[in-house]
Amino acid sequence: MKKILLILTLLCSTLFCQAQKKEVIVGAEQTNEYFPILKNKRIAIFSNHTGMIGNKHLLDVLLENKFNVVAIFSPEHGFRGNADAGEHVSSTVDSKTGVPILSLYDGKSKKPSESSIRKFDILIVDIQDVGLRFYTYYISMVRLMDACSEYNRKVLILDRPNPNGHYVDGPILDMKYKSGVGGLPIPIVHGMTLGELALMVNGESWLPSSRTCDVTVIPCKNYTHQTMYRLPIPPSPNLPNMKAIYLYPSTCFFEATPVSLGRGTSLPFQVYGHPNMTGYNYSFTPRSVPGAKNPPQLNKLCHGVNLSNLSDEDIWKKGVNLTYIIDAYRNLNMGDHFFRPFFELLIGTDYVRKMIEEGKNADEIKARWKEDVEKFKVQRKPYLLYPDN
């Protein structure tokens, strides 16, 4: 009897492991699920270079299948993914297909114009996000949802995994700091896919005038929030690898200081340094490169820290880690000249800068937002499409 039980246990364990190892199938790959929805529709897509189905772009697959794609909306970094961060992506055409690329910002309230929205019947969202409040793709999606709700257009989200979807961390955005790098009252790391986030936007009445958008989500298969999904394509020029994506929640804050976070090097978001920082044996020099034409501390020798050798497990364990910015703050000893107002837009609250200036350590500051994290986990629960543990 014991032998039979042991065999059954081993068999169950093997089957569980096989289930865990099943390849994630993203929404865009499930054409049988959404092709019927697109029949006889004028289609717009919100996508960029990450909107791939195998080795073909969603746009090419739709055109090959004779769908009527009339417009493309493309976010920061452009449809082919080679514009600088924050660079304005204007109306143009996709050089490969001739489909018009429309501006995301030519209407009121930084939304697409009415004439752009009236060109299509349904908008497909297929873009790889990284799950952070200051990563701007979700803000563009929400503005498009707003415009679509205003003019009764449908939105179809082809969901993709969140590479930082295994945890929630950071303070909830105080909406007085709402900006182009923070659009919703969510933590820095929200742990949701774009599909889940869109459902939450509707459910929490976060669109203006409490409108709701007609949203359909094609979920990923074989994905849970504990799936450590490795992105097949870098989502933007300065997030070239998974190490950068995992460190991004902690190193992005240097954007609001004079310190370089490695833009213009081979290790963006994986190093930090400044010409006047002392006591370090690592140095680097930012150069003008595609995707970072004019990086901070351009052509200056910076001294600091290389984080690229940290293990993924160490980074995950720490979550949003303020140790790095506290280290640079104390080393440079610039007082009020270290932080720019942009810091509050990134961190989302006013107490973090004050606590750093008062000499508090990273753990003391993190304890302050613990309640935000627990509150948000409860709030988001009804909108999760995938198992959370």
Side-chain angles (χ1 to χ4, degrees):
M1 187 69 180
K2 281 182 181 176
K3 195 171 180 182
I4 293 168
L5 282 172
L6 180 62
I7 291 166
L8 285 171
T9 303
L10 287 169
L11 182 62
C12 289
S13 176
T14 304
L15 289 170
F16 178 74
C17 286
Q18 286 172 348
Q20 290 292 89
K21 287 177 184 172
K22 273 188 182 174
E23 193 176 337
V24 171
I25 300 168
V26 301
E29 292 177 271
Q30 301 170 56
T31 53
N32 60 318
E33 297 287 336
Y34 64 90
F35 271 13
I37 300 170
L38 304 177
K39 202 173 175 186
N40 302 321
K41 298 280 197 306
R42 297 173 302 159
I43 301 161
I45 65 171
F46 172 56
S47 189
N48 65 0
H49 65 289
T50 63
M52 300 295 286
I53 303 174
N55 60 1
K56 286 186 180 179
H57 197 280
L58 169 71
L59 173 62
D60 300 321
V61 171
L62 292 175
L63 293 174
E64 282 172 11
N65 285 275
K66 309 301 182 196
F67 286 107
N68 182 22
V69 183
V70 297
I72 297 163
F73 292 99
S74 188
E76 184 179 13
H77 305 300
F79 189 59
R80 297 296 169 190
N82 53 8
D84 271 12
E87 187 176 320
H88 183 68
V89 179
S90 58
S91 299
T92 177
V93 297
D94 174 45
S95 56
K96 185 177 176 185
T97 62
V99 176
I101 299 175
L102 305 180
S103 173
L104 283 164
Y105 314 108
D106 62 347
K108 59 190 178 184
S109 305
K110 295 184 178 175
K111 293 185 299 192
S113 63
E114 178 181 350
S115 65
S116 291
I117 300 298
R118 291 203 182 278
K119 284 181 167 67
F120 63 86
D121 306 307
I122 188 166
L123 172 74
I124 300 176
V125 175
D126 182 32
I127 195 164
Q128 182 61 62
D129 191 51
V130 298
L132 305 181
R133 192 184 65 224
F134 38 63
Y135 198 64
T136 60
Y137 294 172
Y138 81 93
I139 297 176
S140 298
M141 178 187 75
V142 171
R143 285 178 181 154
L144 282 162
M145 285 174 63
D146 181 25
C148 287
S149 70
E150 197 172 348
Y151 299 106
N152 298 311
R153 268 36 185 181
K154 295 178 184 295
V155 173
L156 173 68
I157 298 173
L158 307 180
D159 217 10
R160 290 181 180 266
N162 175 356
N164 284 307
H166 55 287
Y167 72 111
V168 175
D169 203 2
I172 291 174
L173 177 69
D174 181 334
M175 291 301 276
K176 75 179 180 185
Y177 294 120
K178 183 180 178 182
S179 72
V181 291
L184 297 173
I186 58 179
I188 291 165
V189 184
H190 52 72
M192 301 175 79
T193 65
L194 286 182
E196 291 172 323
L197 204 49
L199 297 178
M200 189 170 190
V201 166
N202 269 344
E204 298 295 315
S205 300
W206 283 342
L207 291 180
S209 308
S210 297
R211 284 193 299 264
T212 55
C213 179
D214 184 344
V215 170
T216 300
V217 181
I218 306 296
C220 305
K221 288 181 177 172
N222 308 324
Y223 173 69
T224 79
H225 283 279
Q226 302 311 310
T227 305
M228 302 313 293
Y229 182 75
R230 301 186 75 82
L231 303 191
I233 299 167
S236 49
N238 288 290
L239 292 176
N241 54 42
M242 294 308 298
K243 201 72 75 181
I245 288 165
Y246 295 145
L247 283 166
Y248 185 32
S250 304
T251 55
C252 187
F253 305 115
F254 287 116
E255 304 271 44
T257 76
V259 176
S260 166
L261 49 68
R263 287 185 187 273
T265 76
S266 61
L267 295 170
F269 291 96
Q270 300 157 80
V271 300
Y272 65 92
H274 185 275
N276 298 336
M277 282 170 60
T278 57
Y280 302 97
N281 56 18
Y282 178 75
S283 59
F284 60 91
T285 305
R287 305 290 188 194
S288 182
V289 297
K293 295 189 185 85
N294 189 30
Q297 305 303 338
L298 177 64
N299 297 327
K300 293 178 182 172
L301 182 66
C302 296
H303 312 287
V305 178
N306 181 355
L307 303 169
S308 69
N309 296 319
L310 289 173
S311 73
D312 292 347
E313 289 74 19
D314 280 348
I315 299 168
W316 299 335
K317 205 184 329 177
K318 295 282 188 182
V320 175
N321 187 355
L322 296 178
T323 304
Y324 314 132
I325 198 148
I326 291 171
D327 171 53
Y329 172 78
R330 291 176 182 171
N331 188 284
L332 279 173
N333 197 24
M334 295 171 65
D336 292 345
H337 300 292
F338 184 80
F339 291 108
R340 297 194 296 273
F342 189 52
F343 181 73
E344 275 68 33
L345 304 186
L346 291 173
I347 198 76
T349 186
D350 56 11
Y351 63 77
V352 174
R353 181 204 296 232
K354 290 172 190 167
M355 290 181 79
I356 292 173
E357 290 173 345
E358 287 165 4
K360 305 290 189 204
N361 65 36
D363 289 338
E364 289 173 301
I365 299 170
K366 194 159 187 155
R368 178 86 181 260
W369 69 58
K370 187 170 185 281
E371 199 175 304
D372 274 5
V373 169
E374 296 312 313
K375 174 185 164 190
F376 184 75
K377 282 182 178 177
V378 172
Q379 187 185 11
R380 73 174 189 157
K381 202 167 185 180
Y383 311 107
L384 295 184
L385 295 168
Y386 312 98
D388 194 30
N389 47 37

